[in-house]
Amino acid sequence: MKLANLLFLTAAGISFLGALAHELIGAPMVLDPLQDSGLPEDVIWLHHFSWHVGTVSVLAMVAMFTLAALRENGLVFGLIATVMSAGFAGLGISLAAFGNAALWQTLAPYPWTVIAVLGGIGIRLSRGANAH
């Protein structure tokens, strides 16, 4: 198996672990306290929806990184998943730096950068291999 494919599969695996942690650990920590927050119900449930949209997005990244690794013509999937991860990294870092430093104490700013770098290297290696 080519190194690029291993990098894509590693990015998929880390993304999958991130989705699991997001739902199993993060959701109870973030969503449950909203019930007693006094916020309007529509705000609470829109937050629930947004939280789970994040998980669905990460699972889509898992699928795309996997397709990038397993399909001969799957590089575009790796590119899209890498761009998504880079966007998540930029969002997490920007919100922590310019919104509220409390976000540095969460995982939000960190794993997406690693995933984007793995995907980026996988893309570079794949493009280099296809150039020959």
Side-chain angles (χ1 to χ4, degrees), residues 64-115:
M64 286 187 280
F65 277 128
T66 302
L67 288 170
L70 300 180
R71 290 184 59 166
E72 185 151 337
N73 60 352
L75 186 57
V76 69
F77 294 111
L79 178 62
I80 295 167
T82 298
V83 169
M84 287 176 66
S85 188
F88 292 166
L91 178 62
I93 291 167
S94 295
L95 288 175
F98 303 112
N100 191 315
L103 202 55
W104 291 119
Q105 304 305 311
T106 73
L107 287 178
Y110 304 106
W112 312 115
T113 303
V114 173
I115 295 165

Side-chain angles (χ1 to χ4, degrees), residues 1-43:
M1 179 172 278
K2 295 187 285 186
L3 179 57
N5 294 344
L6 290 174
L7 293 171
F8 289 140
L9 289 175
T10 301
I14 295 170
S15 297
F16 183 75
L17 291 175
L20 277 179
H22 192 252
E23 285 299 317
L24 300 177
I25 299 168
M29 289 173 51
V30 174
L31 298 179
D32 291 351
L34 289 175
Q35 299 306 320
D36 298 322
S37 69
L39 290 169
E41 288 291 310
D42 59 338
V43 172

